[in-house]
Amino acid sequence: MNPRDTRYDCLFEPLAIGPVTAANRFYQVPHCNGGGYRDPSAVAEMRRIKAEGGWGVIFTEQVELHHSSEITPFIELRLWEDKDVPMLARMADAIHTGDALAGIELAYSGINGPNLYTREIPLAPTALPIRTFTNDPVQARSMTKRDIKNLRRWHRDACIRARDAGYDLICLYGAHGFGAIQHFLSTITNQRSDEYGGSLKNRARLLEELVSEARDAVGDTVGITVRMSLDEANGEYGFSNDDLREMMSLHGDLPDLWDFAHGAWEDCSATSRFKEEAAQESLITGLRELTSKPIVGVGRFTSADTMVRQLKNGILDFIGCARPSIADPWLPRKIDEGRIEDIRECIGCNICVTGDMTMSLSRCTQNPTFMEEWRKGWHPEIIQQRGASETVLVVGAGPAGLEATRALGERGYEVVLAEAKTQTGGRVTLESQLPGLSAWARVRDYRDYQISQMSNVNLYLDNKLTASDILEFGFEHVALATGAHWRKDAVARYHTHAIPNDSSIPTFIPDELMRGAAVPAGKVLVYDDDHYYMGSVLAEQLVAAGNEVILITPASLVAQWTVNTLEQEKIQQRLLALGVDMQPNTALLAINSGKATLSSSLQSQSLQVEFDAVVIVAGRRANDGLWLELLSTEKQWADAGVQSIKCIGDCEAPAPIAWATYAGHRFARELDTELCATNSVVPFRRELVQLSE
Ligand code: ADP
Ligand code: SF4
């Protein structure tokens, strides 16, 4: 272990937050995880590992503080009554296993909570329709003075419960458009004419009351913080960055710490395709001069140098991280131990966000152990030693093969990784050259470096293996991670059988474009029945090359699945600005005599259009040729000394990159264990509800 680089010393200085003191400047801001009240032990263990990783402050996700405001179907935490305290206490205890302060983020969602579960009438500063991702057909009613009094009491009760659960910091949520404090501050949602509406002073009244009352209730032992919107960026109405500065000149010293985040979650947690590291800096700069209290801000910080710059330049006092703490829960510890090269940097893909948006369980492209810490016992930095066997051959150095190799190497196997190309990375090497996706190369770079440090792992580039090579080598175990390729026949969701194509228009798949195929000048049709990023990214690339681009998709939204990565609107805006002609609800039916037949996916009308080229972004086919050939020789495996051969990642079933790193990790974890042999038991722990009497 190297000593810490003295340049980073300032990140490790303690700092007081009201009555408590954080051991260092690494502040894990609240972040969702798709588990919440359904998987409380899984969430607690995930946070415990961050405590091990050296964070000074670790927060829960948002915690609904009262049953009159909840955000079903999204799964967060709840502190509605005393019954909920043990679940929250489990998390605080887990956080306290390290030196971290435990923080809880209390949210009253108001106009952001449709109350689909409790069926209570939502309460808001002003009666308006509920503001959710799904535009639920529900309205909130205006709060009366009595409602506001109640809300203050509910806050006080929740603060006392939070303290009793063991929390050192209580954060009142007023950012991302998700908390009542922001709804009162913003003229979008607050159109009241009483003392809680109108002037900024009036709109800040609730904030002032809630913070003072929280302090009265628990402030002698617990720090009270506010998560505040930096800018709603909404034109005439809203709560702008100027409003924030004005509000802070009135109430700068109100809470024990200010935690700043963007006015909308989509802006705050933007992907690397749309925002760089430290993207909120201009909105935060100068706020520190308006308060004597510490401030924390976020910005997908993964570079220790950028973090130091934030402190040294007086922009922030604490480095707020959500995604960087997911990708690498041991980030602070690695900086402290002089192991900068070992940091698994977040790539800014927002696959973690999709876990919350789909109410499943979050996963991370870079950290395949995320949310598997409890249910599978997977630790991001510690892995069990190898089992009975010794040698493994991994074929293919894409994300699946690289992660399998890295984790097998760590377990102590003798591993050979064979790659057909002269470079590692597979699809991430190709895709990271596309517009906006350069950060994705980190998936490869982290693993390349780790593997390069292992004497028991050998990498052979430019080695395309055949089935007979593999049997001849006689490794005890073989993982095939040979990837997938895009289909040219347009088969995906709309078409389950190949479309007619007489080749009269040059037709390309993404692989060809990524390998530099020359697309003819002129008008190009991009047909997207994949619905994730590829269609829109290629459209950007084609515009940059000078083509006129028409993007069609059978879905009603362009890049429909990117709603879950918080990118959909941004993608549409960018394509619009680039002059891409977007036609949703449209399918490609055929290519004949120099024309493409397009049809509405809703009605049976079609038209024929001339194009200079067509790019088909549809389904993908697994590169499973090698696997099928080996399978046909299964009887010879034992004689060749081969105990098992397994297909992992895209060559088993194509999916996003996060699925490939997970598959690689899983293969490595399960080798020489019972789980490897059969799938007859549920391969993880589940937390089941207890039936009431
Ligand atoms: P995944 O996402 O599942 O990791 P990728 O397509 O990213 O899949 O990577 C697959 C890798 O496997 C590519 O780098 C490819 O060159 C390599 N590969 C495919 N077939 C062979 C083979 N027969 N021998 C060695 N490498 C192979
Ligand atoms: Fe970062 Fe992507 Fe992991 Fe989220 S899923 S933490 S954005 S690498």
Side-chain angles (χ1 to χ4, degrees), residues 36 53 73 100 166 208 216 226 240 250 289 314 321 403 406 442 547 566 610:
E208 205 189 335
D216 288 348
V226 172
S240 67
L250 294 174
E289 282 131 49
C321 295
E403 175 59 17
R406 188 202 64 76
R442 293 172 172 182
N547 290 102
L566 309 177
E610 282 182 16

Side-chain angles (χ1 to χ4, degrees), residues 411-428:
R411 285 191 64 187
Y413 289 96
E414 288 297 321
V415 190
V416 164
L417 171 60
E419 165 55 50
K421 305 226 172 58
T422 52
Q423 236 187 326
T424 59
R427 62 180 291 192
V428 297

Side-chain angles (χ1 to χ4, degrees), residues 323 326-327 346-352 363-366:
R323 290 171 294 174
I326 292 173
C346 167
I347 68 165
C349 61
N350 277 5
I351 281 292
C352 48
R363 60 202 301 163
C364 170
T365 302
Q366 275 286 58

Side-chain angles (χ1 to χ4, degrees), residues 395-401 418-421 425-427 463-465 481-484 626 648-651 660:
V395 185
E419 165 55 50
K421 305 226 172 58
R427 62 180 291 192
N463 256 281
K464 183 164 180 138
L465 299 189
T482 50
L626 192 57
I648 58 171
D650 288 338
C651 78

Side-chain angles (χ1 to χ4, degrees), residues 9-241:
D9 285 353
C10 61
L11 295 167
F12 294 89
E13 286 167 11
L15 188 64
I17 307 172
V20 294
T21 298
N24 60 42
R25 307 304 178 90
F26 295 94
Y27 193 111
Q28 182 246 274
V29 292
H31 68 74
C32 57
N33 46 67
Y37 61 76
R38 188 194 54 208
D39 300 282
S41 295
V43 183
E45 181 63 4
M46 178 265 287
R47 308 267 186 220
R48 189 193 65 75
I49 282 174
K50 297 198 204 200
E52 255 180 33
W55 297 84
V57 175
I58 299 175
F59 262 87
T60 63
E61 57 267 51
Q62 96 177 63
V63 178
E64 295 167 355
L65 66 91
H66 192 257
H67 68 272
S68 63
S69 184
E70 49 92 8
I71 58 168
T72 302
F74 298 99
I75 302 173
E76 311 292 333
L77 286 166
R78 288 178 174 159
L79 189 52
W80 294 353
E81 51 188 329
D82 291 343
K83 263 189 195 173
D84 296 309
V85 170
M87 189 186 280
L88 273 300
R90 174 163 295 187
M91 179 108 74
D93 291 347
I95 294 169
H96 283 147
T97 56
D99 291 334
L101 296 176
I104 182 169
E105 181 185 53
L106 297 180
Y108 192 83
S109 303
I111 201 157
N112 179 242
N115 293 349
L116 301 176
Y117 175 69
T118 58
R119 302 180 182 175
E120 295 287 328
I121 300 297
L123 303 177
T126 300
L128 281 169
I130 286 295
R131 299 165 76 81
T132 53
F133 289 110
T134 37
N135 294 323
D136 304 285
V138 177
Q139 295 211 175
R141 73 164 168 80
S142 287
M143 293 171 86
T144 61
K145 296 273 184 58
R146 179 182 301 174
D147 292 324
I148 293 176
K149 254 195 202 137
N150 285 338
L151 177 64
R152 290 164 54 187
R153 185 165 44 80
W154 300 334
H155 261 90
R156 253 192 330 267
D157 292 348
C159 286
I160 290 165
R161 288 192 180 109
R163 180 202 53 200
D164 293 348
Y167 287 88
D168 311 295
L169 295 170
I170 293 177
C171 170
L172 306 181
Y173 196 14
H176 298 142
F178 294 160
I181 291 171
Q182 185 179 354
H183 304 149
F184 270 82
L185 282 169
S186 171
T187 55
I188 298 171
T189 40
N190 183 350
Q191 299 167 27
R192 300 174 74 93
S193 52
D194 62 4
E195 66 267 36
Y196 287 93
S199 68
L200 188 57
K201 188 168 182 297
N202 281 356
R203 286 182 278 127
R205 191 177 304 279
L206 180 72
L207 167 71
E208 205 189 335
E209 289 170 346
L210 293 181
V211 174
S212 325
E213 288 161 8
R215 182 164 291 122
D216 288 348
V218 298
D220 50 342
T221 55
V222 177
I224 309 296
T225 78
V226 172
R227 192 144 215 226
M228 177 60 43
S229 163
L230 274 169
D231 189 6
E232 285 188 336
N234 203 66
E236 191 182 349
Y237 299 110
F239 182 68
S240 67
N241 194 252

Side-chain angles (χ1 to χ4, degrees), residues 441-460:
R442 293 172 172 182
V443 173
R444 174 200 63 207
D445 296 344
Y446 164 72
R447 292 171 175 83
D448 272 357
Y449 176 75
Q450 296 299 317
I451 288 169
S452 75
Q453 301 303 297
M454 295 173 179
S455 57
N456 53 329
V457 175
N458 284 297
L459 165 68
Y460 294 97

